[in-house]
Amino acid sequence: MRTLFSAALVSFLAVAGCGPPATTQPSQGALALDQVRALASWKTGTDAGLVAITSNAAWIPNAGSGTISKVDLRTNRVVATIPVGNHQAMLSTCAGPDTVHDVPHGSFLIRRCELPTAVAVGAGSVWVTKNDDNSVLRLDPATGQVQAVIPSGINLFGLAAGASGAWATDLSGSVVHIDAQSNRVVATLHISGEPSGLAVTDDAVWVARTLDGRVVRIDPRSNAVTADIPVDLRPLAVNSGLGGVWVRNEWNEGPGTVSRIDPLTNRVVATIAVGPNAGRDGLDGIALGDGLVWVSGIYLEGIDPATNKVVIRRFHQTNALAFGAGAIWATDLEGTVSRIEPPARVSGSPFPW
């Protein structure tokens, strides 16, 4: 149960806090967060989610406020707060748990009453889940104005976008494809195993089946499943790039793994041990940038795709990570979002668990 995991996590953090977890020293800067250097930090609303980044702005979903915040990349200032839906009204009809201690670890039930659960960028637009009526909003990234309101027909959870349009998941077993030209749902796929995190590329959509420990590959042209790949326990975050498809497996408690899938063979070619996840169940993100694969959790970890080994570990607790404009964007445990300077590698030091 979650209560047991929380107690174990507190105990783990107490031990980890007794000294530096690796040989690195905290970076010096105007904003020092544990062992990383933050270029800026924001508290934009309640329960910030996974950040999405366009060419000139970062978009932060405030899941407990019913809004998204637009941060100008040049000035690091919040330049707009855009209402998505009425979160207070949603709470009156949403029977969700009060705290993370009320639900089993890995159930994701703590996110049932969030609005919005996700924001994504792709096809020249910003897409956001409007969970109070299960529609997807398409926004103009320049103005933040709503260009389309698209009924999804599912209980929205994850969201990703690309040239083929937007794709969204429903934990109860559905994936929908929203066409970027017509702004309509053109396919609904029924996929078992609690479909959650997803990544969209030009030729594939990769979806984690959390309960089944698998990842499915979907052809965005035919909307058909073309591969079903076993990974590890409780996959959630998925990203594609740097020569692979990267999947964060959160296990049940304690340290997890990252699976590297070869998109040419649809097979797992490496399984990399990483630290425990942290924060809200169901909120996670693998970030790709600065030549590394970045993993969130109790530690900020960087995996070198050339060796499939962790080459950076800093003590900085995060719920989720994104990468853009040369920086890591971390959704931190205390409800802030931080723009972090990528830490330097530690020579000759993979960090086995």
Side-chain angles (χ1 to χ4, degrees), residues 11 20 42 52 55 109 308 351:
S11 176
W42 306 267
S55 60
L109 291 177
N308 293 322
F351 299 93

Side-chain angles (χ1 to χ4, degrees), residues 89-345:
M90 180 181 175
L91 287 180
S92 66
T93 60
C94 179
D98 294 327
T99 74
V100 295
H101 304 288
D102 296 334
V103 296
H105 174 59
S107 71
F108 302 169
L109 291 177
I110 192 63
R111 302 197 63 202
R112 177 179 290 172
C113 299
E114 292 188 353
L115 166 67
T117 55
V119 63
V121 298
S125 298
V126 176
W127 309 78
V128 58
T129 58
K130 189 174 185 296
N131 300 83
D132 52 350
D133 62 8
N134 286 316
S135 62
V136 174
L137 304 184
R138 184 175 186 174
L139 308 182
D140 183 334
T143 65
Q145 295 297 309
V146 175
Q147 297 175 313
V149 180
I150 306 152
S152 71
I154 64 172
N155 293 314
L156 292 162
F157 179 75
L159 184 69
S164 59
W167 295 75
T169 57
D170 178 347
L171 294 176
S172 63
S174 298
V175 177
V176 298
H177 177 193
I178 299 171
D179 178 62
Q181 300 300 315
S182 64
N183 288 327
R184 299 182 66 179
V185 171
V186 293
T188 300
L189 290 75
H190 299 291
I191 296 174
S192 65
E194 203 168 76
S196 55
L198 67 172
V200 177
T201 66
D202 290 342
D203 62 352
V205 179
W206 304 86
V207 183
R209 295 172 56 201
T210 299
L211 288 185
D212 290 345
R214 306 180 76 90
V215 170
V216 295
R217 178 174 184 166
I218 301 169
D219 184 333
R221 293 173 292 274
S222 66
N223 296 311
V225 174
T226 58
D228 191 357
I229 305 157
V231 284
D232 219 331
L233 294 177
R234 294 197 176 277
L236 175 58
V238 184
N239 209 334
S240 178
L242 298 178
V245 177
W246 306 86
V247 186
R248 171 74 147 97
N249 307 299
E250 297 192 344
W251 286 68
N252 292 321
E253 296 181 5
T257 61
V258 170
S259 297
R260 178 178 184 170
I261 298 172
D262 181 347
L264 298 179
T265 63
N266 294 326
R267 292 186 176 184
V268 172
V269 294
T271 301
I272 304 149
V274 294
N277 65 305
R280 303 203 307 275
D281 269 347
L283 179 62
D284 206 341
I286 287 182
L288 306 181
D290 202 34
L292 298 178
V293 179
W294 300 94
V295 182
S296 63
I298 291 176
Y299 294 96
L300 169 66
E301 296 178 282
I303 298 169
D304 185 348
T307 62
N308 293 322
K309 293 181 178 180
V310 173
V311 295
I312 293 174
R313 177 176 294 151
R314 295 294 182 95
F315 184 65
H316 179 62
Q317 302 171 62
T318 60
N319 284 325
L321 301 174
F323 198 97
I328 300 167
W329 297 76
T331 305
D332 300 327
L333 296 186
E334 60 270 22
T336 63
V337 171
S338 300
R339 183 177 183 175
I340 294 172
E341 181 179 79
R345 304 187 189 201

Side-chain angles (χ1 to χ4, degrees), residues 62-77:
N62 304 305
S65 303
T67 63
I68 56 174
S69 298
K70 179 181 180 181
V71 176
D72 184 278
L73 296 183
R74 184 179 59 85
T75 63
N76 284 330
R77 293 182 179 274

